[in-house]
Amino acid sequence: MNQISLLAPGHSGCAGCCDAMAAKFTLMGAGDNCIVVSPTGCLEVMTTPYPETSWDVPWIHSLFENAGAVASGIEAGLKALGKKEKTKVIAMGGDGATLDIGLQAISGAFERGHDFTYVCIDNEAYMNTGVQRSGATPYNASTTTSPAGKVSFGNPRPKKNMPAIIAAHGSPYVATTSLAYPKDMIAKVKKATEIEGPTYIHCHAPCTTGWGFDTSKTVEVAKMAVKTGLWPLYEMENGVVTKVRKLGKVKAPVEDYLKMQRRFKHLFTMEGGEEEIAKIQDIANMNIEEYGL
Amino acid sequence: MPRETTMDKSKMVVVEGSYAVAHSVKVCRPNVISAYPITPQTHIVEDLSQFMADGEIPKCEYINVESEFSALSALVGSSAVGARSYSATTSQGLELMHEVLFNVSGMRLPIVMTVANRAVSAPISIWNDQQDSIAQRDTGWIQLYAENIQEASDMTAQLFKISEDKDIMMPSMACMDGFILSHVYEPVVLLEQDITDEFLPSFDPERTLDPSNPLTFGAFADPNYYTEFRYLQEQAMQTALKKIETVADEFSDMYGRYFGGLIDEYQTEDADIIIMAMGSIVGTIKDVIDRLRENNVKVGLLKVRAFRPFPAEAIKNVIKDAKVVVVLDKNISLGINAGALFIETKSVLYNTDIDVPVTGYMIGHGGRDIPTSTIDKIIDDAKEIMKSGIKTESQFTDLKEELV
């Protein structure tokens, strides 16, 4: 089985697209015996322009907000027809579809305990419609609906803690990962899809277009989020953190991460920007302490 | 020719409408049922849960979802993997499903859903009218309206057969008036398992989500392709026109019961006045007609069973020789002061040589009772129209002027 071919080349994603990488790694972890549901988003648009498709596994798009429910139905249908044993069910959607509009359907699916894996490809805004803020947009990021301006540093709220929300549903397995660490992601997806019950992978996925960095730097930017402590990589089993990827003694300052991206550019030019950067450093420091990075 | 239905009285049992429908769903051998409670639909999914709890529906998964939105969304997934899929809803629940309704028909998933018709808010009302399903008329779902409990029950099996036809593959709603049919006990013949097994083959779709043959469902279509998808949906609806009639005939041959195909007729052959209506109100109208016929008033009933697809030709054939047509609507399309059946009926007569006056009444909103005296009054109006022509095209009936 050539796992790489499960997401065929030739999609219409941007150069350096995070979704393409995250989807490819997800399928490498899950294998070919799966059914994928994707809510509305870049991934759906760039891979399925009728009559073409990039998917070498069965794939369905329904609506923006119902991937959790559609996955529930796929699982229930397979069970009823006696086909569930051998087939994995995966939902794969962006942060808007996951943390915002689709949260209810995901919550329902996890509470009911359907056997499927949800993969959130988190590029921290509504990229498909022009970089508007979502519940996953980090503190002080400038987006088209939370722009930096004369009296604003951008998004005024920190990211919603989606892995914790899912863990609170009693999920047997929740993990964070990053597309910069393919082996980490593939292994976690594999583990998630092999565990019975609703499991969750939250993948940090820098978007070259929305964040404003060179198309060759996706992996570099993603790595820096991890190295600063802003995106800790960990696993939770039955609500308890069981494994953390340590950073070692030399941790990068958040400044190194922020200055790589246009969405934080204002922090380096506006008056009071230094204090704001310090607040972001505090967020990283809290993660470092909480997860023992 | 209108056909009489024969009921085997020895097989009759007195059950609640919701139970009869739930029993029909059971013998149709569904694979996935999704359920979210909303009055007056609840008894149907409660009865189905009990059947599940008693092990009476084998090879079926029952999903207690967290909203009507997810109730239908879950069936998108189950139907796409090839599972026969069913849910029931009403009113606000159906409106919450609105976006998914388009999605289901666009993906050609033959889901069947019972709608226990109820008014929509605001003001909130749990009682019956047909505004909820009429508001979904453009979503690409086949809609049949039941006259009584027996028909609501029988319709379920008919709709699975129609929806799952390979040339159609469109979802459908079995519409029954909330409370009036869902919560009333009537003598009915419950669908027999052995006959239903013969009538309704197992669901065997040509295309499913299957790892051994990966297909992409729900791709996005640019302007080069989108129109053709819509065209094909409409073609399927037109194909369903014939199929609804064929299936009603097949059902009649096997079970001995017939409630009409696209439409049904009562005393229409020589009728000067023809009343058109959908749902449980047709029973009341039949009683009034029986009484008036004794006094030689030439009045007949055109029961509209299929609202989508709309049976334009069948309706034209029945009303072409009438002197007045009266259309009753338990809904209103706000902004044109008329109900949907009235608007559609007038629309199909344009560009024809049928020149019959059509008048409309909006009736029974939010569960307001429709006594026979109201039907009498409407027929009196119709007699007046025969003499002096139409003065008011469409109007509310039994409006309490003192409250407005």
Side-chain angles (χ1 to χ4, degrees), chain A residues 218-232:
Chain A
T218 307
V219 171
E220 219 172 289
V221 172
K223 269 193 179 152
M224 195 56 83
V226 174
K227 285 179 177 172
T228 53
L230 282 172
W231 189 251

Side-chain angles (χ1 to χ4, degrees), chain A residues 32-35 44-46 48-66 69-70 72-81 83 87 104-106 108-109 111-112 114, chain B residues 31-32 59-61 63-67 69-71 73-84 96 99-100 103 107 109 208-222 225 229:
Chain A
D32 62 355
N33 212 341
C34 67
I35 294 173
E44 163 245 337
V45 173
M46 73 197 219
T48 68
Y50 183 86
E52 289 154 8
T53 181
S54 303
W55 298 87
D56 274 341
V57 293
W59 179 95
I60 183 169
H61 162 254
S62 178
L63 296 164
F64 200 6
E65 65 276 45
N66 68 0
V70 174
S72 303
I74 291 172
E75 184 245 23
L78 291 174
K79 263 178 151 176
L81 299 172
K83 296 176 178 173
T87 311
Q104 176 183 311
I106 295 167
E111 171 262 312
R112 292 189 298 270
H114 293 280
Chain B
N31 300 121
V32 175
K59 295 178 188 168
C60 181
E61 292 289 316
I63 317 178
N64 276 305
V65 284
E66 84 294 340
S67 68
F69 190 89
S70 283
S73 298
L75 299 188
V76 168
S78 60
S79 187
V81 296
R84 180 171 285 164
L96 184 58
E99 191 189 2
V100 196
N103 210 244
M107 267 196 267
L109 301 171
T208 60
L209 294 171
D210 176 5
S212 66
N213 179 29
L215 298 174
T216 291
F217 277 49
F220 95 86
D222 70 19
Y225 297 99
F229 279 92

Side-chain angles (χ1 to χ4, degrees), chain B residues 170-333:
Chain B
M170 293 288 268
S172 55
M173 291 179 200
C175 302
M176 66 190 296
D177 284 324
F179 291 116
I180 300 169
L181 297 184
S182 63
H183 284 55
V184 159
Y185 284 70
E186 274 180 6
V188 293
V189 179
L190 297 174
L191 290 188
E192 296 93 336
Q193 186 69 68
D194 54 340
I195 305 178
T196 305
D197 284 343
E198 204 183 326
F199 172 74
L200 180 67
S202 58
F203 180 34
D204 181 26
E206 287 176 321
R207 288 170 285 272
T208 60
L209 294 171
D210 176 5
S212 66
N213 179 29
L215 298 174
T216 291
F217 277 49
F220 95 86
D222 70 19
N224 286 315
Y225 297 99
Y226 186 85
T227 305
E228 284 67 28
F229 279 92
R230 302 301 267 167
Y231 173 80
L232 289 168
Q233 272 180 279
E234 180 56 33
Q235 292 300 106
M237 275 291 191
Q238 295 306 319
T239 305
L241 280 172
K242 185 75 202 142
K243 187 74 183 176
I244 290 166
E245 291 194 311
T246 312
V247 167
D249 288 339
E250 287 170 8
F251 188 92
S252 168
D253 291 344
M254 293 180 75
Y255 298 82
R257 297 190 294 275
Y258 181 78
F259 297 93
L262 297 165
I263 59 166
D264 201 15
E265 295 173 61
Y266 190 73
Q267 307 272 20
T268 52
E269 275 173 62
D270 62 341
D272 292 330
I273 301 166
I274 291 181
I275 306 180
M276 290 174 61
M278 305 195 293
S280 60
I281 192 180
V282 306
T284 311
I285 298 168
K286 282 177 178 172
D287 282 350
V288 173
I289 289 173
D290 286 347
R291 176 161 45 77
L292 292 177
R293 281 276 170 180
E294 284 172 16
N295 299 322
N296 296 317
V297 181
K298 288 186 176 176
V299 56
L301 165 76
L302 167 53
K303 161 178 151 181
V304 177
R305 192 166 177 262
F307 184 71
R308 281 294 181 270
F310 195 70
E313 293 307 316
I315 290 172
K316 280 193 264 186
N317 281 336
V318 175
I319 65 177
K320 64 182 190 312
D321 299 321
K323 291 181 180 155
V324 180
V325 173
V326 181
V327 184
L328 308 188
D329 270 291
K330 279 191 180 179
N331 68 83
I332 176 171
S333 180

Side-chain angles (χ1 to χ4, degrees), chain A residues 159-200:
Chain A
K159 280 172 80 81
K160 191 191 281 187
N161 190 344
M162 188 66 182
I165 292 168
I166 292 295
H169 281 73
S171 168
Y173 184 74
V174 172
T176 60
T177 187
S178 162
L179 57 71
Y181 300 86
K183 281 186 183 168
D184 182 270
M185 181 165 187
I186 293 165
K188 283 172 176 170
V189 170
K190 186 169 188 293
K191 187 170 175 180
T193 55
E194 284 170 356
I195 291 173
E196 201 178 329
T199 53
Y200 182 80

